[in-house]
């Protein structure tokens, strides 16, 4: 994937994506992180893509102005963990450890994000495996394997083979939200769609699912804007 720079104050970086299936040029902006992507059909030259961007510059900048900035993870700051702000402090430790209501980290600012992300992934794997086991047992449908990713388009998925995938950022959400997503994906083991029967299964596994879905709609973007790199 290439990049185009739209000159101006400030310059705007736009990801350039080629697609054999695309029939026209399209410009999209992620509501989560403000990333702009221009899709070009394979035979359209790059100069046409740049002209397309210039024509839509006012629209592009207007939308980017309305997107909240990313939030870096730094020592002395906080990060969401199970729905609450978790302080990040320097401590005499070799790896991230929960101590007295804070996450203690080695005093190495350049590696804070990487270490916090590693901690989050471990916590997410344990929590999501436990929830998946419980809902799978309640449904009477075994799943295949669990994988964790840093996905931006979905919080989880269930494959036709019964494998479950989750975003590890769910560990930042309140516990009930993580539980709902696990129940949702396990319900797909029985119904691989979003039919009335599927939602009835979700209701049986996790009756409070509507409030959790609303929480993700209202606050999910904030989880995606936390930057760990």
């Amino acid at each position: 994937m290439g990049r185009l720079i739209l000159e101006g104050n400030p310059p705007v970086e736009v990801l350039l994506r080629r697609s054999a299936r695309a029939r026209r040029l399209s410009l999209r902006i992620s509501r989560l992180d403000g990333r702009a992507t221009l899709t070009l059909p394979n035979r359209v030259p790059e100069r046409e893509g740049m002209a397309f961007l210039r024509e839509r510059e006012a629209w592009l900048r207007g939308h980017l102005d309305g997107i909240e900035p990313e939030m870096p993870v730094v020592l002395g700051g906080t990060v969401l963990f199970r729905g609450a702000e978790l302080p990040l402090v320097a401590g005499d430790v070799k790896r991230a450890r929960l101590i007295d209501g804070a996450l203690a980290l080695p005093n190495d600012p350049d590696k804070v994000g990487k270490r916090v992300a590693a901690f989050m992934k471990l916590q997410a794997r344990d929590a999501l495996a436990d929830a998946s086991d419980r809902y799978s047992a309640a449904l009477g449908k075994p799943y295949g394997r669990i994988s964790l990713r840093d996905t931006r388009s979905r919080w989880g998925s269930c494959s036709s083979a019964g494998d479950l995938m989750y975003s590890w950022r769910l560990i930042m959400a309140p516990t009930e939200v993580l539980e709902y997503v696990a129940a949702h994906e396990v319900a797909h083991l029985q119904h691989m769609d979003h039919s009335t029967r599927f939602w009835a299964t979700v209701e049986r596994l996790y009756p409070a699912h509507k409030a959790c879905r609303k929480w993700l709609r209202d606050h999910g973007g904030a989880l995606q804007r936390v930057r760990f790199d």
Side-chain angles (χ1 to χ4, degrees), residues 124-125 127-137 139 141-149 151 154-168 170 178-192 198 205:
R125 177 170 290 279
L128 287 162
D130 177 69
S132 299
D133 287 347
R134 284 186 279 106
Y135 295 122
S136 174
L139 189 62
K141 294 277 188 179
Y143 61 87
R145 63 184 181 88
I146 289 179
S147 61
L148 299 183
R149 299 178 188 172
T151 52
R154 60 180 66 186
W155 295 107
S157 65
C158 176
S159 74
S160 58
D163 294 332
L164 304 177
M165 183 282 296
Y166 298 106
S167 167
W168 57 263
L170 283 167
L178 179 148
E179 290 278 331
Y180 153 66
V181 175
H184 181 118
E185 300 311 332
V186 167
H188 279 309
L189 295 170
Q190 187 162 342
H191 302 290
M192 289 295 292
F198 166 79
L205 292 175

Side-chain angles (χ1 to χ4, degrees), residues 14 17 24 26-30 35-39 59-60:
V14 179
R17 174 177 172 267
R24 59 186 178 82
S26 64
L27 178 62
R28 292 184 173 85
I29 302 173
S30 169
R35 183 177 299 172
T37 302
L38 175 66
T39 300
W59 177 88
L60 175 60

Side-chain angles (χ1 to χ4, degrees), residues 57-126:
E57 180 174 0
W59 177 88
L60 175 60
R61 291 185 181 277
H63 277 69
L64 291 176
D65 286 344
I67 294 175
E68 295 182 38
E70 291 184 320
M71 299 172 286
V73 172
V74 296
L75 279 175
T78 63
V79 67
L80 279 173
F81 178 64
R82 294 186 178 274
E85 296 286 350
L86 180 66
L88 304 176
V89 300
D92 187 17
V93 294
K94 294 184 178 181
R95 59 184 176 83
R97 289 180 56 194
L98 283 173
I99 300 176
D100 296 331
L103 187 62
L105 299 151
N107 191 10
D108 184 352
D110 291 339
K111 295 182 179 179
V112 170
K114 181 178 179 180
R115 288 186 168 117
V116 175
F119 169 82
M120 293 286 192
K121 291 173 186 178
L122 288 174
Q123 296 292 319
R125 177 170 290 279
D126 289 346

